[in-house]
Amino acid sequence: MSALVHLDGREVRATLRMSAEVVVVGSGPAGAAVARRLARDGVRVVVLEEGHHVEPQDFESTGLRAMASLYRDMGTSIAFGNSPMPYLQGRAVGGTSVVNGAICWNFPKPVHDAWAQADRALGEALPFEAITRAETELEARLGVHPTEEHVAGQKNLLMARGADALGVEHRPIRRNTAGCLGSGRCLQGCPHGAKLSMDLTLLPDAVRDGAQLVSGVTVTHVLSDARGAYGVRGRSAAGAQVEVRATRAVVLAASAIQTPVLLRQSGISQGPVGDGLMAHPGVSVTGRFDTVVRNFVGATQGHEVTGFRPEGLKLEALGFDLSILTSRLPGVGLELARRVAELDQYAVYGAAIRAEGTGKVRPGPLGPLVRYDLTEEDVRKARRGVRRLGEVLLAAGATEVYPGIPGFDSVVRDPRRMAAIDDEGSLDPKAYTMSMTHLFGTARMGSDRAHCVVGPDFQHHHVDRLYVADSSVFPSNLGVNPQLPIMALAHLCAERILA
Amino acid sequence: MSVVETVARLPLLPHERAWLERIFEAMLPAETAGLPTFDASRHADLCRTLEEATGATFLPGLRVMLHALAVLPLGYAGYRRTFFALPVDGRRAFLAELAREPGYLPRQLVAALKILACFAYFESPFVRANFDLRPVTRAPMGRP
Ligand SMILES: Cc1cc2nc3c(=O)[nH]c(=O)nc-3n(C[C@H](O)[C@H](O)[C@H](O)COP(=O)(O)OP(=O)(O)OC[C@H]3O[C@@H](n4cnc5c(N)ncnc54)[C@H](O)[C@@H]3O)c2cc1C
Ligand code: SF4
């Protein structure tokens, strides 16, 4: 057993009963930030995590094995809707931070303004200055800094070159890393311990201050009665029942998909729980260069184009394992084999879309049922995203770009053809291959008890002592990578519990 | 595990595993580009991983895809045989034709099987050794 983990559910074969002041479900950015802040003030905390603890040197190197060990359902969870797409989530001690791209953005002020305008009580309970204060402390702990040029690798440097040529704003991505070698393996878990994910930072802080982390336990029910929530029940990976009683608070930080499922499974279905799912769906485009790029190494996501944010788009360099990179090449059969022989000449860039589409999450017989629909405006943004990605790739020196939109040119070599996507690209949502990694809004926060699940103090409107700390509470998406804002709000949730 | 989940998680049958292997070879005929071929000794391990690590809806979906692909060429001029009865060139050509289809389902079918083929191919250390996977620097920046 590691020093971080108090008990490993794979070894818990008999009924386990524990007690604490606060029990936290989930050990991702939200759960880790809550546990750390509470433990610092001497609160007795137990964190329950479904996934397991993997030490950096034990992270798998291939795409398949990394996804099998660190991703929920190996990344095969699908949101159905007008453009069915996978939604990816980590399942490990440290949650999705273990497999994410380490990109850190601050909570955008305009988003806070919009929340406060829609709900004054929320704006007052959650002042922007408090969020900034929490972010500043977290950024220092997580070593957030811009990607250094010497670890960037070609894919990131080329993106900078392309954006420069187009005269559009861009910058090295600020990441939570220290000692990065530019191995390009962030999405498989950093084997060098250089990505400062939760398992290496906030969780050890919490444990040092007395928190107990139990891995390999799936929480299935929140226990509550007329007086409020008093614990959780679940089962260990070895099949035993686990029950943790909490005298002060039950905190759900299981993610914007699992938290509403857990609430509904527990019969706590007041308010729009599970409704209002929002996301940043992503599209990607592949380009071929005549020179060596080695997309599979260099800082996994080390550069971003921010100049298209007014269009609802943020462009990022993407780094993948060889397997996933190959799946993004055009063609099958002989064509695919020929391209694999020159695999080091391809780059893939992605655009995260600030979408207006919404969806629903419900418990189902085979796991969460997720529905998500893009609006027509979202599809236009996806189409524009493909255009912008292609333009940046061409400006960076790509000789060929593959938009991947059925009915449009399969290969584009000329920026004018890229621009023609705006007129000729399909508006069928299914024409775009997308995935979701940023999820929000399924237990939204606000003062209106009829339309919100938790209050501005993160506490459930109908069940005392039950708190939600993850991005389920966000009333909208952010338009930027959310891990740092999620940690900041979770930190503030802990302070509300302490108050 | 519920009855529904138990049924959904029934392992692939031997012929379904064999089909998968043949699809992979047609999807990525690496030897035609002078690259090492799939490592067949890893196939059972791959199937086990797919059976155990994926979500409960994955295997039923994969089964539907395998059986659909098996019969689809019967409806295409120039093929008129089941996918697995086609010669190897025919299987490659059919996959390429399906990938060009404007319809959503045929495209998705090819895309999903392509990802699996890519996972399977790059499981082999021998295959991976053909690519320069060294980090861009060996001199880490100091920790704060
Ligand atoms: C591939 C990928 C790349 C990303 N890159 C970035 C990036 O670069 N920057 C960024 O800001 N964001 C990124 N994100 C998104 C970001 O990582 C997530 O938004 C963030 O981790 C969400 O934090 P969370 O704590 O709410 O949930 P998670 O991190 O998902 O953690 C939830 C945890 O709860 C556990 N859990 C769930 N249900 C239960 C249960 N019933 N019982 C016990 N435990 C349970 C899960 O196993 C999981 O470990 C990325 C996401 C993905 C998938
Ligand atoms: S790029 Fe490589 S070394 Fe750097 S943080 Fe990511 S996985 Fe670690």
Side-chain angles (χ1 to χ4, degrees), chain A residues 10 44 64 82 108 112 130 132 147 174 222 225 227-229 240 254 270 277 298 317 326 381 421 450 464 478 485:
Chain A
R10 289 172 292 196
R44 281 191 306 116
L64 174 85
N82 60 4
H112 185 270
T132 305
T147 303
R174 297 173 73 242
V222 174
D225 58 22
R227 282 166 301 168
Q270 303 94 327
L277 173 69
T326 299
K381 283 186 193 165
I421 284 183
D464 283 354
L478 298 179

Side-chain angles (χ1 to χ4, degrees), chain A residues 227-484:
Chain A
R227 282 166 301 168
Y230 60 86
V232 295
R233 182 180 298 140
R235 63 188 143 63
S236 72
Q241 197 183 93
V242 176
E243 200 171 295
V244 181
R245 298 280 174 130
T247 52
R248 198 155 163 186
V250 171
V251 181
L252 302 186
S255 85
I257 302 294
Q258 272 72 37
T259 286
V261 167
L262 196 45
L263 284 168
R264 282 192 168 264
Q265 246 166 228
S266 309
I268 304 173
S269 46
Q270 303 94 327
V273 57
D275 296 350
L277 173 69
M278 293 195 81
H280 298 147
V283 286
S284 68
V285 172
T286 305
R288 182 188 178 282
F289 291 76
D290 282 340
T291 52
V292 168
V293 179
R294 292 211 297 149
N295 191 84
F296 35 83
V297 294
T300 307
Q301 298 197 263
H303 210 86
E304 61 193 354
V305 176
T306 48
F308 300 124
R309 287 189 65 222
E311 296 178 8
L313 298 167
K314 188 161 85 65
L315 275 45
E316 295 161 358
L318 295 173
F320 302 115
D321 176 51
L322 299 167
S323 53
I324 299 182
L325 175 60
T326 299
S327 73
R328 306 281 171 116
L329 301 181
V332 295
L334 300 175
E335 181 188 353
L336 185 61
R338 177 175 58 73
R339 292 186 186 278
V340 173
E342 50 176 42
L343 191 57
D344 56 10
Q345 289 174 231
Y346 292 87
V348 185
Y349 294 162
I353 297 162
R354 184 161 191 214
E356 288 155 11
T358 55
K360 276 184 198 300
V361 180
R362 293 286 185 274
L366 296 174
L369 294 173
V370 181
R371 181 172 178 103
Y372 178 78
D373 290 301
L374 298 164
T375 64
E376 193 181 320
E377 184 53 26
D378 296 338
V379 182
R380 283 183 201 283
K381 283 186 193 165
R383 184 172 74 170
R384 176 60 67 87
V386 172
R387 169 186 165 179
R388 294 301 190 204
L389 290 166
E391 286 172 342
V392 171
L393 280 160
L394 289 172
T399 50
E400 291 186 349
V401 162
Y402 314 103
I405 305 173
F408 191 74
D409 310 9
S410 54
V411 182
V412 174
R413 299 184 179 84
D414 173 357
R416 276 169 310 191
R417 273 312 287 161
M418 218 58 238
I421 284 183
D422 269 355
D423 298 320
E424 297 173 35
S426 171
L427 280 177
D428 176 357
K430 290 191 175 63
Y432 298 86
T433 303
M434 300 195 200
S435 61
M436 295 198 285
T437 54
H438 305 160
L439 308 157
F440 312 88
T442 47
R444 65 181 49 202
M445 168 193 264
S447 52
D448 177 351
R449 291 166 67 91
H451 295 104
C452 299
V453 177
V454 300
D457 60 353
F458 298 85
Q459 191 168 193
H460 198 279
H461 274 304
H462 300 270
V463 183
D464 283 354
R465 293 195 298 279
L466 174 59
Y467 291 79
V468 178
D470 56 41
S471 54
S472 311
V473 302
F474 286 36
S476 75
N477 57 10
L478 298 179
V480 300
N481 314 68
Q483 67 166 343
L484 191 59

Side-chain angles (χ1 to χ4, degrees), chain A residues 61-62 64-65 68 73-74 76 84 150-151 178-179 181-182 193 294 296-297 321-323 326-327 329 331-333 337 406 430, chain B residues 5 26-27 29 33 35 46 49 53-55 96 104 107 114 118-119 122-123 128 132-137 140-141 143-144:
Chain A
S61 59
T62 71
L64 174 85
R65 278 179 287 134
D73 296 340
M74 217 185 110
T76 59
H150 75 280
V151 301
L181 298 174
R294 292 211 297 149
F296 35 83
V297 294
D321 176 51
L322 299 167
S323 53
T326 299
S327 73
L329 301 181
V332 295
K430 290 191 175 63
Chain B
E5 190 168 353
M27 190 70 81
L35 292 165
L46 169 95
T49 303
T54 54
Y104 175 72
R107 275 190 291 120
K114 182 173 169 181
C118 295
F119 275 145
F122 286 102
E123 271 301 277
R128 296 178 78 84
D132 181 359
L133 294 171
R134 284 171 305 158
V136 295
T137 174
M141 299 285 289
R143 280 180 188 236

Side-chain angles (χ1 to χ4, degrees), chain B residues 2 10 41 51 55 57 75 78 81 91-92 101 117 138:
Chain B
S2 68
L10 286 177
S41 71
E51 287 160 6
T57 51
R81 291 161 81 174
R91 292 202 289 268
R92 288 177 197 157
E101 281 276 334
R138 259 174 284 170

Side-chain angles (χ1 to χ4, degrees), chain A residues 190-210:
Chain A
C190 174
H192 310 291
K195 181 170 68 176
L196 297 184
S197 45
M198 298 302 104
D199 49 322
L200 298 181
T201 52
L202 306 195
L203 290 170
D205 290 357
V207 168
R208 185 201 57 216
D209 288 338

